[in-house]
Amino acid sequence: MSSKTKDKIIHTAIQLFNVFGTGAVSTNKIAKELGMSPGNLYYHFHNKEEIIRAILDAMIADWDKLWLPLPKDWQPGLNDLKAIIRVNLQLQVKYRFFYRELITLMQLDPELKHIHQHIQEQRVEEQKKFFQLFVDAGIIQLQVPSEFDALLTACWIISNYWLSFLETSGVEVDDSQIEQGIQLIMTVLRPYIAVEELAGE
């Protein structure tokens, strides 16, 4: 089984799903876009659900790179926070159909739902550890411990649904909207950021 062919199928499916949505894109349409026979595509993926699960695997691999363990002597700064938010939003642009259709996709495929829920729990824990570094460094200052989870949840919601909000508003997503998304998250965080850090923005 050619991994290059599988990668081409996944890449083409992502492009088509992003533009037309998964409901409007059949495996035959994916095969036609690739210039291959449906039978050849079915040799690699038995159905569209398998293709979408393979896309989720690719998403997980991309996000794993984003949350690589940091060096023990790493000193966090606001620019680091903005940088990781930026990469996160860029990945969501790459896989935007998935976030747009997440609830429906999970309803249609229980296996996909199980995988996604598991990885979401993992990502939340990774983000908690990352966010805690900024608290420990005194960059983000909380008055009460309960603010930690509330802030993280607010940032998570903005990050995961900002692009969907834009698309439902008829806005074409580009780099400027990614920067707006970063600023929205920073607006939520700003009241908790140390004054000296804000002075250096």
Side-chain angles (χ1 to χ4, degrees):
M1 185 178 296
S2 170
S3 60
K4 286 188 177 180
T5 302
K6 290 188 73 173
D7 290 343
K8 286 180 181 178
I9 293 170
I10 291 168
H11 175 76
T12 300
I14 291 169
Q15 303 308 309
L16 292 174
F17 292 159
N18 280 343
V19 175
F20 302 105
T22 58
V25 177
S26 64
T27 50
N28 284 353
K29 185 168 185 174
I30 297 169
K32 184 178 179 181
E33 186 72 17
L34 284 161
M36 67 169 57
S37 69
N40 192 12
L41 185 145
Y42 290 138
Y43 174 78
H44 298 284
F45 297 102
H46 294 109
N47 50 47
K48 188 161 61 176
E49 287 73 24
E50 283 193 3
I51 296 174
I52 294 172
R53 282 185 224 130
I55 291 172
L56 177 57
D57 288 341
M59 289 171 57
I60 291 169
D62 277 347
W63 257 281
D64 281 345
K65 296 171 190 173
L66 181 61
W67 297 107
L68 286 172
L70 295 165
K72 291 183 179 180
D73 58 350
W74 181 71
Q75 296 297 317
L78 278 186
N79 286 335
D80 299 307
L81 182 57
K82 291 178 182 178
I84 202 163
I85 295 170
R86 183 175 292 108
V87 175
N88 184 64
L89 289 172
Q90 288 169 341
L91 286 176
Q92 290 189 31
V93 171
K94 180 178 178 180
Y95 299 106
R96 59 190 177 275
F97 82 90
F98 194 87
Y99 291 89
R100 186 197 303 145
E101 303 181 36
L102 179 57
I103 294 174
T104 300
L105 293 174
M106 291 196 302
Q107 288 174 335
L108 292 172
D109 187 348
E111 183 177 340
L112 183 83
K113 178 180 179 180
H114 174 74
I115 296 169
H116 180 267
Q117 288 179 334
H118 172 73
I119 199 65
Q120 179 168 285
E121 290 174 2
Q122 179 181 323
R123 293 294 179 243
V124 168
E125 289 305 311
E126 288 167 343
Q127 291 189 21
K128 281 183 178 179
K129 291 177 182 177
F130 184 75
F131 195 68
Q132 186 64 51
L133 294 174
F134 291 84
V135 175
D136 293 343
I139 294 171
I140 295 175
Q141 299 175 340
L142 305 176
Q143 299 301 315
V144 292
S146 60
E147 289 176 334
F148 184 93
D149 286 340
L151 272 179
L152 196 62
T153 300
C155 293
W156 176 278
I157 291 171
I158 294 171
S159 176
N160 282 13
Y161 297 102
W162 170 236
L163 297 179
S164 296
F165 169 77
L166 291 174
E167 288 194 316
T168 56
S169 301
V171 176
E172 185 174 345
V173 176
D174 58 25
D175 288 344
S176 66
Q177 276 79 44
I178 289 176
E179 295 306 311
Q180 286 180 34
I182 295 169
Q183 290 308 311
L184 277 175
I185 294 173
M186 295 309 296
T187 298
V188 171
L189 293 175
R190 189 161 282 110
Y192 303 90
I193 297 173
V195 175
E196 58 270 23
E197 292 291 331
L198 289 173
E201 276 195 299

